[in-house]
Amino acid sequence: MRTVDDVPVTPSLGRVPADPGPAGPGRTTRGAKELGVHTAPDTSGFLGANLTERMLADTDLVLLDVKSGDPDTYRRVTGGELAPTLAFGRRLARAGLTTY
């Protein structure tokens, strides 16, 4: 059985959890790519600034879950600010990454 960071990769499962350590998500994404596993982080984008250029290079597409395009509604629904998510979306566009 194939593994990424010692987590078994089962094709029917559809997801590989990221290692929770500081280098975890990047290490997991790199390991998945080395195994030929398609990578598609599912994120609100709020912490998108934390993704390194290497992690983006190892990403096939991003599922960007924007709760609302209206800053007031976004804040009410999530308790956070919309600006970091929009900044991450612009970064993905500049990188040419497919984003849903």
Side-chain angles (χ1 to χ4, degrees):
M1 175 176 285
R2 299 184 316 175
T3 64
V4 173
D5 289 339
D6 299 318
V7 175
V9 176
T10 306
S12 62
L13 182 61
R15 292 178 181 243
V16 176
D19 179 329
R27 192 173 68 192
T28 302
T29 304
R30 170 91 310 246
K33 289 301 288 186
E34 288 172 353
L35 290 171
V37 175
H38 185 78
T39 59
D42 187 348
T43 178
S44 71
F46 186 76
L47 298 176
N50 295 343
L51 267 69
T52 66
E53 293 304 313
R54 178 57 189 235
M55 289 168 70
L56 287 180
D58 288 336
T59 299
D60 295 305
L61 69 92
V62 177
L63 304 171
L64 185 58
D65 184 7
V66 182
K67 303 298 184 192
S68 173
D70 175 69
D72 292 330
T73 302
Y74 188 93
R75 190 176 307 107
R76 189 174 67 251
V77 170
T78 69
E81 298 298 318
L82 177 59
T85 298
L86 295 178
F88 185 54
R90 287 189 291 274
R91 183 176 174 208
L92 295 173
R94 284 192 304 274
L97 276 166
T98 300
T99 304
Y100 293 102

